[in-house]
Amino acid sequence: MERGAAPPAANANDRDDSPMAEMFTLFPHESAVVMQRGIELGIVCSCVLVMHCVYLVTHFWSSEGRADTVLRTFCLARILCAMPRPYFWVRTRRLFVQARYQPTPQMVTQRLLAIYAHPFGVERALLLFYYGWLSVVTAVVCLVRFYVESAFAQQIFKHCVFNFLSIFIHRILCVVLFYYLMHTDFKRG
């Protein structure tokens, strides 16, 4: 099945009970706008955070010590795994834009459910890698900071905090946008 096409009827019942399916059904246009804007905000935040990671790696490239080498390796893995993500962001954003401009709310809902039910496998794996990376690096940097005095570790700790803040702020902004769209005279269709 082509990504973004209507979901098969057999699988639709499995998704109809999810909170996302309910949101897509009750507020299809608002959901499509929030999903599109969420992707766009995520693109900006992720690019800034990856560039910050690149800056830290290049700035502390000559730092010595086993802990700095381990942290630098983690950062390089994060940078490499972030490289293909813009391709999937653009494709997913395009699908949300197409969903927004469907002629009926029911068709918008169908497109949103199809996008939600069939994410790009590679993008999903890269996102899971990012969350795993963030968890592991945060734990490692906390241990390193406990045992070793390292300027690089201090900066990576700040970088991890920025990543957590980005995730939190992204979620809050999407909820606020959704609330705003629900309570305004939003032009539909």
Side-chain angles (χ1 to χ4, degrees):
M1 179 170 88
E2 182 181 318
R3 183 160 151 68
N11 293 338
N13 292 334
D14 297 339
R15 289 183 304 276
D16 286 346
D17 295 336
S18 76
M20 292 295 281
E22 183 178 354
M23 181 180 72
F24 292 162
T25 302
L26 295 175
F27 305 100
H29 290 94
E30 293 87 345
S31 298
V33 170
V34 170
M35 299 302 279
Q36 176 191 340
R37 298 299 181 216
I39 290 276
E40 293 165 354
L41 179 61
I43 290 169
V44 171
C45 291
S46 292
C47 288
V48 168
L49 289 167
V50 169
M51 292 309 298
H52 183 248
C53 193
V54 167
Y55 167 76
L56 292 176
V57 167
T58 56
H59 186 74
F60 290 98
W61 188 260
S62 61
S63 63
E64 296 178 6
R66 188 176 309 158
D68 287 353
T69 302
V70 169
L71 290 173
R72 188 171 30 257
T73 302
F74 276 120
C75 289
L76 289 171
R78 192 246 196 281
I79 293 163
L80 287 174
C81 286
M83 292 174 79
R85 293 194 71 200
Y87 169 77
F88 296 103
W89 293 333
V90 169
R91 287 185 65 188
T92 303
R93 181 190 175 281
R94 186 177 316 128
L95 291 172
F96 284 124
V97 169
Q98 290 170 354
R100 276 183 68 185
Y101 295 108
Q102 292 300 303
T104 66
Q106 294 79 14
M107 291 177 77
V108 173
T109 299
Q110 285 179 336
R111 293 296 293 264
L112 291 174
L113 288 171
I115 296 165
Y116 182 66
H118 304 287
F120 293 113
V122 174
E123 170 60 11
R124 180 93 174 128
L126 292 171
L127 182 63
L128 291 175
F129 171 82
Y130 166 68
Y131 288 136
W133 175 88
L134 186 56
S135 301
V136 169
V137 168
T138 301
V140 168
V141 81
C142 286
L143 284 172
V144 167
R145 290 178 64 211
F146 187 71
Y147 292 109
V148 179
E149 188 68 31
S150 165
F152 185 46
Q154 296 294 334
Q155 292 302 312
I156 294 298
F157 179 77
K158 288 179 185 177
H159 180 72
C160 290
V161 170
F162 294 153
N163 278 266
F164 284 116
L165 283 172
S166 172
I167 292 168
F168 178 74
I169 291 169
H170 181 269
R171 301 285 193 284
I172 295 298
L173 289 176
C174 286
V175 168
V176 167
L177 177 60
F178 187 75
Y179 182 82
Y180 170 77
L181 292 173
M182 282 177 37
H183 292 86
T184 60
D185 188 23
F186 181 65
K187 183 178 177 183
R188 290 162 175 81

